[in-house]
Amino acid sequence: MEAIPSDTQRAAADGGFNFLTPEAWKALLSPYSHVVLVANSEAVDFERLRSELPETTLYVFFNNVYKVLDEAFTGHAVLIARSGVMGANIVHRREAADVLRFFAGDDFLGVVNIRASPEENFSEESGFKGARTRHLDLTQMLGDLYPTGKIATSGFAMALWLADLQLPGKILLAGFSAKRSEKWKVFDVHDWTFEQIFLRLFARMGSISMMGGVDASPYSALAKRFPQVPPIEIAMTAAEVLSERLHNANGQIDRLMSVTKSIRAIEGFFRRFKPKTRKQRFLEKSKE
């Protein structure tokens, strides 16, 4: 575990929470030449990452790492544990032990329990099965930035926070495709379109780097083919075509909703008999 200078570390708050100052975070993360955020996505080419990046790379994993890891990880790593209303998701779902078994040794920096929305709550360090735990509140950073009614993904929140730290190392995003796969779903509570636009603009500014998605953009080829056309005209033309395609897709979705109306009614009827989840019981109890 990297030592934190005593003059930059904030004392642990009441309730078993451990917060650091921005200076302390920077001191902890500055020794690494690269900080790689590894998305829980099939788009991650992990063998390529390990072969192309130096041993001074810090790998940042998120929640259920078994989506990208098949065996214990050897190398510098940190686990981001996202919170929900009942605390860290891997804690209240009793998954902490299953996730943390992938990490061991002095190269594991421990767990960073984050929250990105005011409704989310931290879990105490004791819930992470003995792993060194720090807490990071990103609600203020995202408050006026993220679209209303949606919640930022952990990867987006961490990418933005790391960029603001202005670390000497390079920040790299791996597997941030925002695409639904056959194995893992994409949650609708996040604004994937906003995040992809933001991250790609960040990448083009040089604040971060992305493996795939930016350099391979087909629209960059249009700019090369039509150098006399201003970039804004290419963007507006692309938006016009995408708008027409979306309009046509919405028409097909309306037809599909009409055809499946009776099926959805039957499903809604039987859902009333489904037992309440732990989260639903927790929310009901908290309102009493």
Side-chain angles (χ1 to χ4, degrees):
M1 182 70 63
E2 296 285 344
I4 302 295
S6 59
D7 59 337
T8 60
Q9 184 171 7
R10 186 187 303 173
D14 293 339
F17 301 149
N18 182 23
F19 297 93
L20 302 183
T21 63
E23 293 78 14
W25 281 116
K26 192 167 184 177
L28 178 65
L29 301 175
S30 289
Y32 301 100
S33 61
H34 299 72
V35 179
V36 183
L37 278 65
V38 184
N40 289 333
S41 167
E42 293 174 348
V44 174
D45 188 343
F46 212 74
E47 291 186 2
R48 177 186 171 190
L49 281 176
R50 299 306 301 270
S51 63
E52 293 184 357
L53 296 174
E55 294 182 357
T56 51
T57 297
L58 174 67
Y59 292 86
V60 181
F61 294 96
F62 297 88
N63 296 309
N64 299 328
V65 295
Y66 48 76
K67 295 180 179 180
V68 290
L69 295 177
D70 296 323
E71 57 186 7
F73 181 80
T74 56
H76 302 288
V78 64
L79 175 68
I80 304 301
R82 178 64 177 268
S83 279
V85 295
M86 297 177 65
N89 293 325
I90 64 172
V91 172
H92 86 79
R93 293 172 184 168
R94 302 184 179 92
E95 299 171 336
D98 292 334
V99 172
L100 290 169
R101 66 182 175 85
F102 286 92
F103 307 103
D106 296 335
D107 289 336
F108 180 48
L109 292 187
V111 177
V112 180
N113 182 198
I114 71 168
R115 72 171 194 153
S117 173
E119 293 79 19
E120 298 169 350
N121 297 294
F122 290 120
S123 287
E124 296 182 6
E125 184 172 2
S126 59
F128 294 96
K129 305 301 179 181
R132 175 69 183 274
T133 304
R134 301 177 178 89
H135 296 83
L136 181 60
D137 193 338
L138 302 176
T139 55
Q140 186 173 0
M141 180 191 72
L142 296 165
D144 297 329
L145 171 68
Y146 209 79
T148 304
K150 297 288 186 177
I151 301 174
T153 64
S154 301
F156 174 82
M158 288 300 298
L160 180 58
W161 177 74
L162 285 169
D164 285 347
L165 274 184
Q166 298 183 339
L167 300 173
K170 188 175 183 180
I171 301 171
L172 176 64
L173 310 187
F176 281 62
S177 65
K179 296 178 181 178
R180 183 187 183 98
S181 70
E182 294 182 4
K183 192 173 183 180
W184 310 116
K185 62 183 178 180
V186 171
F187 292 100
D188 191 46
V189 296
H190 311 302
D191 193 326
W192 298 100
T193 301
F194 172 82
E195 292 194 6
Q196 282 294 304
I197 293 172
F198 195 106
L199 291 176
R200 293 187 186 204
L201 288 173
F202 239 25
R204 290 188 170 100
M205 290 171 55
S207 300
I208 60 174
S209 297
M210 298 177 70
M211 292 193 70
V214 178
D215 296 334
S217 171
Y219 300 104
S220 60
L222 289 175
K224 294 179 180 178
R225 179 62 180 81
F226 302 103
Q228 71 278 17
V229 179
I232 186 63
E233 290 295 333
I234 295 177
M236 291 182 65
T237 302
E240 178 184 345
V241 174
L242 291 173
S243 178
E244 291 178 359
R245 289 182 58 82
L246 180 60
H247 176 74
N248 293 334
N250 283 337
Q252 297 300 319
I253 291 173
D254 287 341
R255 289 183 58 189
L256 184 62
M257 294 295 289
S258 177
V259 171
T260 60
K261 183 177 181 179
S262 58
I263 298 176
R264 287 183 285 111
I266 295 173
E267 181 190 24
F269 174 78
F270 284 104
R271 275 184 177 274
R272 293 185 297 175
F273 302 100
K274 184 178 179 180
K276 295 180 180 179
T277 63
R278 292 177 60 228
K279 181 177 179 180
Q280 289 173 327
R281 294 195 300 269
F282 173 83
L283 291 173
E284 290 180 354
K285 187 176 180 180
S286 62
K287 292 178 180 178
E288 294 178 356

